[in-house]
């Protein structure tokens, strides 16, 4: 069955039931989660209200993670993006390419929400949706989910005048539509999610052009440079926090130079 998710942020109470159900159902390691819940404040003073952000994979139709993956470990199926970590080479291209900062590396391979592939293939409902006590999550055919999202946003505009549906146009249409109580930008949901340039080169030129070896080397070098620099800066930040960061001229002066 081809189904997508509905996430209604106007109904989420931040209970983290979805986080726990996902971890238990998918037998995730203790320090790995596919959903992150955090508190948010909506509106402008003095008309403020509270809510919860729900960071997770948006299952993009034009998915940067799938487009850059050289091994097929990330792939699309039934309107969702899936993961076969056994095929992952550990290159981290998907980690750098995702405009929503979703995939994570665990034991050297990439992982993320796969839409509970085993459960949904058997006709079931994803663990997170099964568990949500406030009806903030739904899973169903795209046309039904789209209609319900608009109906919910319409009702919520009485309370939240800017309530709207997010995800119909972003990255070819998301496999998770969000009912947002405010302008999505205010909630950290970009109107136009940006894919890093190096990923675009890989997706638009190297893969279809068949410049496999040369192109791969160029793009791999680009990614490797990005990754190496990020890792280097992370190490420097950690050293700085410990009060022992070497400067770029080799002196141990405790300052991190960006
Ligand atoms: S949100 Fe990121 S990880 Fe999820 S499908 Fe889109 S590009 Fe891939
Ligand atoms: S669909 Fe499944 S894997 Fe994805 S967040 Fe929900 S429970 Fe976790
Ligand atoms: S289970 Fe539902 S209400 Fe609880 S945090 Fe998740 S989405 Fe929000």
């Amino acid at each position: 069955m081809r189904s997508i998710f509905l996430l209604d942020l106007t109904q989420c109470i931040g209970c983290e039931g979805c986080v726990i159900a996902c971890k238990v159902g998918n037998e995730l390691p203790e320090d790995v989660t596919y959903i992150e819940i955090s508190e948010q404040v909506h509106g402008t003073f003095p008309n403020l209200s509270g809510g919860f952000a729900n960071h997770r994979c948006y299952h993009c139709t034009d998915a940067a993670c799938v487009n850059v993956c050289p091994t097929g470990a990330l792939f699309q199926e039934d309107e969702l993006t899936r993961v076969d970590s056994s095929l992952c080479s550990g290159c981290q291209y998907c980690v750098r390419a995702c405009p929503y900062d979703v995939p994570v590396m665990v034991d050297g391979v990439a992982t993320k929400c796969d839409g509970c592939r085993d459960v949904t293939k058997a006709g079931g409902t994803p663990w997170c949706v099964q568990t949500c006590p406030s009806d903030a999550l739904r899973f169903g055919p795209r046309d039904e989910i789209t209609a319900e999202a608009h109906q919910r946003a319409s009702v919520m505009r009485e309370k939240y005048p800017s309530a709207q549906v997010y995800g119909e146009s972003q990255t070819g249409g998301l496999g998770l539509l969000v009912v947002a109580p405010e302008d999505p930008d205010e909630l950290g949901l970009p109107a136009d999610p940006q894919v890093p340039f190096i990923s675009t080169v890989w997706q638009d030129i190297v893969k279809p052009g068949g410049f496999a070896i040369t192109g791969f080397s160029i793009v791999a070098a680009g990614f490797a440079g990005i990754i190496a620099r990020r890792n280097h800066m992370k190490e420097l930040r950690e050293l700085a926090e410990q009060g022992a960061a070497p400067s770029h001229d080799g002196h141990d002066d405790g300052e991190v130079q960006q």
Side-chain angles (χ1 to χ4, degrees):
M1 181 178 67
R2 292 169 180 267
S3 293
I4 66 169
F5 292 88
L6 169 70
L7 168 62
D8 186 346
L9 291 179
T10 70
Q11 299 301 313
C12 177
I13 56 173
C15 67
E16 302 208 9
C18 52
V19 179
I20 295 164
C22 175
K23 284 179 73 75
V24 173
N26 290 294
E27 300 179 0
L28 301 183
E30 193 176 340
D31 56 347
V32 176
T33 178
Y34 292 161
I35 307 173
E36 290 173 20
I37 307 290
S38 57
E39 285 188 58
Q40 278 190 327
V41 176
H42 310 145
T44 51
F45 185 82
N47 301 312
L48 299 174
S49 59
F52 296 91
N54 192 312
H55 183 251
R56 50 187 293 160
C57 177
Y58 290 91
H59 293 282
C60 314
T61 296
D62 185 11
C65 62
V66 173
N67 292 335
V68 299
C69 181
T71 68
L74 284 145
F75 58 101
Q76 280 175 311
E77 179 187 67
D78 298 343
E79 298 225 35
L80 302 176
T81 54
R82 312 289 203 186
V83 192
D84 182 348
S85 294
S86 70
L87 296 177
C88 177
S89 66
C91 66
Q92 302 190 37
Y93 295 177
C94 57
V95 175
R96 309 305 163 194
C98 173
Y100 292 103
D101 199 20
V102 168
V104 293
M105 302 300 292
V106 177
D107 295 334
V109 295
T111 188
K112 71 170 197 70
C113 160
D114 73 347
C116 286
R117 184 174 189 238
D118 293 343
V119 174
T120 54
K121 278 289 191 191
T125 304
W127 295 110
C128 56
V129 181
Q130 287 184 41
T131 307
C132 181
S134 68
D135 204 24
L137 288 166
R138 283 283 179 91
F139 187 69
R142 182 177 283 276
D143 55 349
E144 290 178 20
I145 291 293
T146 302
E148 181 167 352
H150 281 282
Q151 194 266 337
R152 288 187 183 212
S154 171
V155 170
M156 290 315 295
R157 275 195 281 276
E158 288 177 21
K159 183 176 179 186
Y160 303 106
S162 301
Q164 57 194 274
V165 177
Y166 174 85
E168 289 179 282
S169 61
Q170 286 75 17
T171 67
L174 304 181
L176 183 146
L177 297 183
V178 181
V179 178
E182 297 290 337
D183 190 318
D185 263 340
E186 299 286 320
L187 305 174
L189 297 169
D192 183 18
Q194 295 296 313
V195 176
F197 172 71
I198 197 77
S199 305
T200 309
V201 171
W202 170 261
Q203 170 186 334
D204 294 343
I205 301 175
V206 179
K207 261 185 155 179
F211 308 114
I213 297 177
T214 308
F216 183 87
S217 301
I218 293 169
V219 176
F223 271 110
I226 294 170
I227 293 165
R229 177 163 174 75
R230 285 178 64 140
N231 289 343
H232 178 59
M233 298 313 296
K234 183 166 176 259
E235 285 169 11
L236 286 174
R237 277 195 298 275
E238 288 170 356
L239 284 168
E241 284 165 14
Q242 295 163 13
S247 69
H248 284 195
D249 61 9
H251 296 298
D252 188 1
D253 58 10
E255 287 182 16
V256 176
Q257 299 176 4
Q258 301 272 350

